Amino acid sequence: MNIQEAKEEIIHTIRAYHRKDTYGNYLYPIDQQRPVLLIGPPGIGKTAIVSQAAEECGIGLVSYTLTHHTRQSAIGLPKIVKHRYGEQETEVTEYTMSEIIASVYSCMEQTGREEGILFIDEINCVSETLLPVMLQFLQNKTFGTHRVPDGWMIVAAGNPKEYSRSVRELDIAVMDRVRKIELEPDLPAWKIYAEQKDMHPAILAYLDMHAEHFYSAGQGENGPYFVTARGWENLSELIKNYEALEIPITVQQIREFLNRKDIAEGFAAYWRLFCRYHADYEVKAFLDLAAARKSDREMEEEADRILEKQRRMAENADLEERYTVVYQLLAVFNRKLQERNEALQTGAGLMRMAEQLDRYESEAGKSFSEETERILQVRVRNQLLTAGEAAEERKLLGILKECEIENRLEHGDAVTLKKRLRGKAEVCRRCAEEQKRELSHMLSAMFIFCLHVFNNDAELMLLVSGTARNSEAQRLLMEEENSYFMHYSHMFFE
């Protein structure tokens, strides 16, 4: 099973386990809610999909790596208590609450989420002393004498034995009590995730042409080597930030993320070509010009000289060069789509704030922004927002504070503050409309570019499929149909 399918299966399992009757009782018997056991190579994305599943289902998440725990922290500390059995009082050993179970209750208290996922990583790499604890956990859903709360699904993860010397085989009694999902590296499934995460186009283009370099792990002459999905994602983030700071990327830096010499050197060589093609073909300059045009015809006339230069450059270009340029076109287009989506989100957020202002009653002289900030801090502290959502809320808070300052300077009241917020929202709406027009011209220009410069179905097909995979692009096309996209998508995929 690939990582995307596994995530969907976890979500389906959560929904099944959390079904309730009209009285709030779980319909799926608690004692038959088997833990899900994910077995797959390291760095494939097991932790990421569990986090995404919890986020999409709106439930809590507590994560632990069992190899980082002692037996005492897992099951609790022993304590002597007195019990009466019949007429005789005797001392017996009990245990304090497990640190892991206590963390589940803390999450419930802090977030207000009564249901969630308890994720235990590296479960088949535990020490000899923890092995009985782990077996008890999978069989009975308990650590020590304390049980995982009802409504909390257990997901465990481990690596196949060929990737770690410390892996222990799980016996039949344990395996008969879990749902084992075996995972394999799958580049197409990962690319869906990668495009949603705005992975650097150089990495997407390179892996499209060198799929065999996506995942690699083993034992070489100089020790173990590994290239993982996690490594590619972390490298992407480094490249994006170094580019913004105009810091050059070296082979050594790439090898810090891709721990296999030939793959690291291969990508480093490609990275140099990627940068050169971007400059030589003037991709961004061409699309910026296209976005400013009032019609496709005007854009074509204005861009003839640039297209002719690019066509001459592409005459002897190999497949790698041509594919790279298409990915660069898509990257510029995708960034513009993100800008429009941010404008729409900000406008909607400001309108929401304006509506909330109607219901706000000042408490102890607090301004609306002070109360909004207090609520935001609580939500961030209790992990009720993703990092992206928190960043968007802080942006809205900053605009609100600016509006409040302007309002005070002009001696305005709540009514005028509301008008200011709505005015800012309208600016965002107009900006998004303008960006929609620009994006429509830009998309047409991308097809014109491929037709004039490459005149080859392979590049057009890559452009169509790259656009079709982008959910924001699909939303744009629903609002404003593009004749080029419609024509070539019908040609290639129907």
Side-chain angles (χ1 to χ4, degrees):
M1 185 178 289
N2 67 44
I3 206 74
Q4 194 68 24
E5 292 167 339
K7 177 182 136 182
E8 289 302 313
E9 187 56 35
I10 291 171
I11 291 173
H12 294 160
T13 304
I14 291 167
R15 293 177 59 198
Y17 285 4
H18 288 173
R19 282 185 67 231
K20 296 176 183 175
D21 62 21
T22 54
Y23 302 103
N25 300 309
Y26 289 105
L27 292 171
Y28 203 120
I30 299 295
D31 61 349
Q32 293 186 35
Q33 293 184 6
R34 290 189 175 199
V36 173
L37 176 61
L38 304 173
I39 298 294
I44 196 174
K46 299 186 288 291
T47 304
I49 63 166
V50 173
S51 176
Q52 291 163 25
E55 181 183 319
E56 290 181 26
C57 292
I59 60 176
L61 174 66
V62 172
S63 300
Y64 271 90
T65 301
L66 215 53
T67 51
H68 297 168
H69 282 270
T70 64
R71 188 173 185 277
Q72 286 73 26
S73 65
I75 69 170
L77 295 171
K79 62 179 180 178
I80 306 299
V81 298
K82 290 183 178 181
H83 276 290
R84 181 173 290 278
Y85 298 106
E87 296 182 359
Q88 184 178 359
E89 186 176 77
T90 185
E91 292 181 339
V92 296
T93 303
E94 289 188 358
Y95 288 86
T96 59
M97 181 174 282
S98 157
E99 179 186 320
I100 297 172
I101 300 295
S103 295
V104 172
Y105 282 106
S106 294
C107 178
M108 293 166 68
E109 182 180 354
Q110 291 171 3
T111 65
R113 292 173 173 171
E114 296 296 315
E115 298 172 328
I117 295 175
L118 174 55
F119 177 60
I120 306 295
D121 201 5
E122 297 184 12
I123 199 163
N124 59 349
C125 297
V126 296
S127 64
E128 194 72 39
T129 57
L130 266 177
L131 187 58
V133 176
M134 181 272 296
L135 296 177
Q136 179 198 36
F137 170 64
L138 289 178
Q139 290 179 0
N140 305 320
K141 303 177 187 175
T142 60
F143 277 114
T145 56
H146 298 93
R147 186 178 174 86
V148 176
D150 293 347
W152 281 74
M153 172 180 155
I154 297 169
V155 180
N159 300 323
K161 60 183 179 181
E162 60 265 30
Y163 293 99
S164 175
R165 295 176 182 174
S166 59
V167 165
R168 300 176 183 278
E169 290 288 348
L170 302 178
D171 61 30
I172 294 174
V174 174
M175 296 307 296
D176 194 37
R177 289 174 169 82
V178 300
R179 295 180 58 187
K180 181 183 177 184
I181 296 177
E182 294 186 348
L183 300 171
E184 294 291 338
D186 187 293
L187 179 57
W190 180 80
K191 281 177 68 177
I192 295 171
Y193 164 82
E195 287 169 350
Q196 291 172 346
K197 287 287 186 179
D198 188 31
M199 209 71 65
H200 196 283
I203 289 175
L204 293 174
Y206 180 79
L207 291 177
D208 212 35
M209 293 175 283
H210 302 279
E212 71 280 7
H213 291 175
F214 170 56
Y215 195 97
S216 179
Q219 196 71 26
E221 294 180 2
N222 301 316
Y225 61 83
F226 50 92
V227 175
T228 68
R230 182 191 297 126
W232 286 111
E233 182 173 3
N234 294 161
L235 176 59
S236 169
E237 206 56 46
L238 180 89
I239 291 175
K240 287 193 291 185
N241 282 278
Y242 272 34
E243 271 189 315
L245 296 168
E246 298 184 350
I247 299 173
I249 305 294
T250 67
V251 179
Q252 179 54 44
Q253 290 157 350
I254 293 170
R255 289 196 65 179
E256 292 166 8
F257 297 88
L258 310 179
N259 198 278
R260 184 173 140 178
K261 187 173 183 290
D262 59 332
I263 293 179
E265 290 178 349
F267 179 73
Y270 177 75
W271 169 250
R272 290 192 290 272
L273 290 173
F274 184 91
C275 295
R276 196 190 81 193
Y277 297 152
H278 188 75
D280 289 352
Y281 281 86
E282 301 180 80
V283 170
K284 188 174 185 306
F286 172 76
L287 290 183
D288 285 346
L289 172 66
R293 296 300 94 203
K294 294 181 180 178
S295 71
D296 293 344
R297 182 61 188 163
E298 288 180 13
M299 184 277 296
E300 290 181 59
E301 292 172 356
E302 189 76 17
D304 272 352
R305 181 184 58 81
I306 299 174
L307 285 170
E308 181 58 27
K309 171 197 166 187
Q310 293 165 333
R311 188 190 63 77
R312 288 196 303 271
M313 287 172 53
E315 279 180 349
N316 299 312
D318 59 18
L319 186 64
E320 184 175 87
E321 179 174 337
R322 297 155 78 95
Y323 266 38
T324 298
V325 175
V326 176
Y327 267 103
Q328 290 174 342
L329 290 168
L330 286 166
V332 175
F333 181 65
N334 291 344
R335 287 193 199 104
K336 191 74 173 177
L337 280 169
Q338 288 172 3
E339 289 175 12
R340 178 173 186 258
N341 187 47
E342 288 169 7
L344 289 169
Q345 284 183 335
T346 301
L350 291 169
M351 288 299 292
R352 186 183 71 246
M353 277 186 166
E355 297 306 315
Q356 290 170 343
L357 187 58
D358 277 341
R359 300 187 296 273
Y360 175 67
E361 295 180 7
S362 180
E363 184 179 326
K366 276 187 177 179
S367 67
F368 181 50
S369 64
E370 287 173 326
E371 179 62 13
T372 302
E373 186 168 18
R374 183 191 69 79
I375 293 171
L376 174 59
Q377 288 171 349
V378 171
R379 296 174 74 195
V380 170
R381 186 168 60 249
N382 292 331
Q383 300 177 351
L384 297 175
L385 297 172
T386 65
E389 289 169 341
E392 178 62 24
E393 291 296 321
R394 290 191 186 99
K395 177 181 177 181
L396 292 170
L397 179 62
I399 297 172
L400 171 60
K401 287 180 176 179
E402 290 174 3
C403 288
E404 282 189 341
I405 291 170
E406 293 170 3
N407 209 47
R408 282 198 300 272
L409 290 172
E410 297 181 14
H411 307 290
D413 55 13
V415 174
T416 56
L417 177 57
K418 184 176 180 178
K419 287 181 179 178
R420 289 181 191 280
L421 288 170
R422 285 183 164 172
K424 297 279 188 181
E426 177 59 21
V427 170
C428 291
R429 188 196 66 77
R430 289 199 300 268
C431 177
E433 278 298 307
E434 176 64 17
Q435 287 169 328
K436 181 172 75 172
R437 184 189 68 79
E438 292 174 355
L439 281 161
S440 181
H441 294 315
M442 191 178 281
L443 183 57
S444 296
M446 289 158 65
F447 281 96
I448 291 168
F449 182 101
C450 287
L451 286 165
H452 283 246
V453 175
F454 298 133
N455 194 25
N456 190 302
D457 282 355
E459 288 75 30
L460 284 166
M461 187 179 294
L462 180 61
L463 179 59
V464 170
S465 60
T467 305
R469 285 194 303 265
N470 189 306
S471 58
E472 294 300 329
Q474 289 305 301
R475 187 184 305 175
L476 174 74
L477 288 165
M478 288 177 67
E479 294 178 34
E480 190 159 322
E481 191 175 281
N482 183 281
S483 58
Y484 287 101
F485 178 82
M486 293 299 295
H487 173 76
Y488 289 103
S489 60
H490 285 308
M491 178 185 293
F492 294 131
F493 300 110
E494 290 192 3

